[in-house]
Amino acid sequence: MASAHDRIDAMVKKYPVMLFMKGTPDQPQCGFSQRVAMVLKDHGKPFASFDVLSDPEIRQGIKEYGEFPTIPQLYVNGELVGGSDIVSEMYIAGELQDMLDKAEMPE
Amino acid sequence: MDLQAEMMRRIEDALPGAKVRLNDLTGTKDHWQAVIVAPGFEGLNRLKRQRAVFAALGELMHGSNAPIHALTMQTMTPAEAEQE
């Protein structure tokens, strides 16, 4: 079984817009995760998500991988963008839209 | 340990001159909101600012039995705070 780090790395590299969250975009299990999922759904571009509540190894591993102790975590083109504060601030400032537009989701 | 005082002390130590406002979101001392105005944020992007705060809080945030489960924060320089 690949390590949590390797599994995360694979997901982050495979999906240019990758959200690690509690729950799923349609059934978020936490307000902060819901906020980021809503921003991404509002933008309308397809994105991949992973429910960390379904996998304790990923739930802990993502904090080490991202050097960021909380969830949700949004990755675009393999880079950590941030949690709900940063994603919200960037969305309000219009910075997130450009970043998302540049992310190429595999067809 | 008074968690709020400890959080305040650590952030002020890590970011000299910081003005910190902490708000217990749920009354259970594990979901916090912070508004931090610090000269030390100058030149740091949003992610680096948050990482600086998380690093200051250290084990209060890391590990499965960390007392702080969620921390939502605004991180501004004094100049940005004036524009708010």
Side-chain angles (χ1 to χ4, degrees):
Chain A
M1 206 355 214
S3 72
H5 179 279
D6 296 345
R7 289 169 57 202
I8 292 166
D9 203 48
M11 283 190 264
V12 159
K13 297 224 160 62
K14 182 175 181 189
Y15 300 105
V17 183
M18 180 73 219
L19 174 61
F20 292 87
M21 65 179 290
K22 289 178 181 171
T24 61
D26 297 328
Q27 284 180 321
Q29 299 299 310
C30 127
F32 297 124
S33 288
Q34 178 175 22
R35 202 192 306 175
V36 175
M38 260 178 6
V39 162
L40 294 176
K41 281 204 274 191
D42 197 36
H43 182 264
K45 202 177 173 78
F47 63 96
S49 68
F50 186 93
D51 176 6
V52 300
L53 297 177
S54 69
D55 189 323
E57 244 190 48
I58 298 291
R59 179 176 187 173
Q60 191 48 38
I62 193 64
K63 295 175 184 176
E64 281 136 27
Y65 184 90
E67 290 165 57
F68 200 82
T70 56
I71 289 162
Q73 290 183 25
L74 175 64
Y75 290 75
V76 174
N77 289 337
E79 296 285 326
L80 175 60
V81 174
S84 76
D85 294 328
I86 289 174
V87 170
S88 309
E89 278 174 30
M90 289 179 70
Y91 196 59
I92 291 161
E95 293 164 24
L96 193 70
Q97 284 80 337
D98 313 335
M99 189 185 260
L100 289 176
D101 291 342
K102 288 197 193 85
E104 312 84 26
M105 278 300 275
E107 288 329 308
Chain B
M1 171 183 69
D2 174 343
L3 183 56
Q4 184 158 351
E6 180 64 10
M7 289 168 72
M8 198 74 100
R9 188 184 64 73
R10 286 177 183 225
I11 296 172
E12 285 165 352
D13 282 356
L15 292 159
K19 289 196 182 53
V20 186
R21 216 166 21 144
L22 289 173
N23 182 12
D24 180 347
L25 290 173
T26 54
T28 52
K29 294 196 185 313
D30 53 7
H31 289 67
W32 293 88
Q33 176 189 33
V35 179
I36 305 166
V37 180
F41 287 146
E42 205 67 55
L44 297 183
N45 68 22
R46 289 183 178 93
L47 189 58
K48 289 198 175 87
R49 294 180 184 191
Q50 293 215 338
R51 281 203 169 117
V53 177
F54 285 135
L57 295 174
E59 80 290 354
L60 298 179
M61 294 264 352
H62 296 274
S64 44
N65 43 31
I68 303 170
H69 295 169
L71 172 62
T72 178
M73 60 177 131
Q74 269 187 288
T75 53
M76 293 171 280
T77 62
E80 288 161 357
E82 261 152 45
Q83 283 150 19
E84 278 287 297

